[in-house]
Amino acid sequence: MQAERSAAGAAASEAIVEARGVKKRFGRLEVLKGITMDVRRGEVAVLIGPSGSGKSTFLRCINHLERINGGTLRVRGHLVGYRERDGKLHELRESEIAQQRRGIGMVFQRFNLFPHMTVLENLCEAPIHVAGVRPAQARATALDLLERVGLPDKVNAYPGKLSGGQQQRVAIARALAMNPELMLFDEPTSALDPELVGDVLEVMKQLAEDGMTMVVVTHEMGFAREVGDYLAFMDGGVIVEEGRPADVLGNPQEPRTQAFLSKVL
Ligand code: ADP
Ligand code: MG
């Protein structure tokens, strides 16, 4: 019994994202100045902070859309973009990077659906053409996912006929269609009309409750408090303050965090 419990505990605490002193420069501008953060399996990590603080860049590093200049970054135990062999680091080829990326779903502020494809085609595209899933299987999974995001009746609609909130829920379903172990969200509700935000947050909350590991950049403090396990306030490329969302939001210690929260809360 005891052994069982500790084994389960070990599995639950497996780090999916392990960032150690991650640095990123664009030319002479150092945008990330040493980000250290763990996101464990099943956890929801929320990143907040002013525009330009490096939140999107950090997400893009996790997904290897940007190459880091310092520190180490592991996703599911693997160094992002490199292989370790004989104590040396070897850069991965593009095809290997694509392979690493496959386990990560990303949802952006803008929905990025393929406008000339139906919802079903959007959801089946990568599973069939990238992952080699059989069409019938891809279709069945897509229908399940549309059910999950509350849009089963939109299966044959084109994105242009959907509201922004519906498009974003389709974008979430499309990311899930590749069966990711980690989902990254970059301000998924910032471009939406206020009345459409709730449905998208509800889908994300459900996903979190189902155990998905998530890193979420958002200005939705209610979501952060309710769904987040961990929250980091970033400013100027560093984590200024971090901890349980209720603690950081309810009782911020750093003047910069206090100033930011007094504007957004
Ligand atoms: P946030 O998402 O917190 O608003 P970003 O990560 O988008 O911040 O940007 C952090 C800083 O990096 C900003 O100063 C931005 O202008 C700069 N930046 C981001 N991407 C690039 C790029 N590709 N080239 C040059 N500068 C960039
Ligand atoms: Mg951003």
Side-chain angles (χ1 to χ4, degrees):
M1 194 62 192
Q2 197 61 44
E4 248 172 57
R5 206 176 297 151
S6 61
S13 67
E14 177 197 349
I16 298 293
V17 179
E18 239 184 302
R20 294 286 175 275
V22 167
K23 295 185 177 184
K24 175 65 190 173
R25 278 190 318 269
F26 291 110
R28 300 166 83 177
L29 179 67
E30 191 166 55
V31 170
L32 299 178
K33 297 175 181 163
I35 300 292
T36 294
M37 176 188 302
D38 276 351
V39 186
R40 299 181 183 287
R41 183 178 293 283
E43 269 185 351
V44 176
V46 176
L47 309 182
I48 63 170
S51 177
S53 55
K55 306 180 298 297
S56 294
T57 302
F58 183 59
L59 285 193
R60 291 170 57 80
C61 290
I62 294 174
N63 210 8
H64 205 288
L65 295 167
E66 304 288 354
R67 182 185 297 257
I68 67 175
N69 305 114
T72 58
L73 184 53
R74 287 176 194 275
V75 174
R76 300 184 294 159
H78 301 290
L79 278 176
V80 176
Y82 297 90
R83 187 183 321 103
E84 289 167 297
R85 205 195 300 128
D86 313 326
K88 287 196 199 128
L89 293 184
H90 303 267
E91 281 187 21
L92 295 184
R93 289 190 298 262
E94 219 23 73
S95 61
E96 295 170 309
I97 290 169
Q99 187 65 35
Q100 277 194 342
R101 238 183 235 138
R102 245 198 238 178
I104 306 175
M106 188 153 182
V107 177
F108 302 88
Q109 184 172 338
R110 298 263 162 215
F111 329 117
N112 314 111
L113 296 174
F114 305 120
H116 57 291
M117 294 183 185
T118 65
V119 165
L120 182 66
E121 288 164 351
N122 264 278
L123 264 61
C124 291
E125 169 69 19
I128 292 173
H129 294 108
V130 180
V133 175
R134 291 215 190 114
Q137 176 62 52
R139 204 171 303 125
T141 302
L143 293 175
D144 278 351
L145 288 168
L146 285 177
E147 195 79 51
R148 207 162 148 192
V149 301
L151 296 170
D153 51 332
K154 301 297 182 191
V155 59
N156 292 316
Y158 282 89
K161 298 283 183 217
L162 304 179
S163 73
Q166 291 171 335
Q167 288 185 49
Q168 198 61 309
R169 283 144 69 197
V170 172
I172 294 171
R174 187 177 61 173
L176 293 174
M178 289 296 275
N179 199 20
E181 274 191 81
L182 169 67
M183 285 284 287
L184 308 176
F185 291 88
D186 196 355
E187 300 198 30
T189 60
S190 294
L192 299 178
D193 292 335
E195 74 272 19
L196 303 177
V197 167
D199 288 342
V200 175
L201 293 179
E202 191 52 44
V203 165
M204 292 169 63
K205 184 180 163 195
Q206 194 58 55
L207 194 54
E209 282 173 3
D210 292 344
M212 180 60 75
T213 311
M214 298 164 49
V215 184
V216 183
V217 176
T218 187
H219 298 295
E220 295 290 336
M221 298 303 157
F223 174 88
R225 194 188 282 259
E226 194 186 345
V227 180
D229 298 295
Y230 162 92
L231 180 142
F233 169 67
M234 286 177 66
D235 194 11
V238 300
I239 294 176
V240 173
E241 191 163 349
E242 62 187 331
R244 310 275 323 165
D247 295 340
V248 179
L249 297 175
N251 189 21
Q253 301 297 304
E254 299 290 330
R256 276 196 280 176
T257 320
Q258 292 165 358
F260 176 77
L261 291 177
S262 72
K263 280 183 236 155
V264 300
L265 284 181

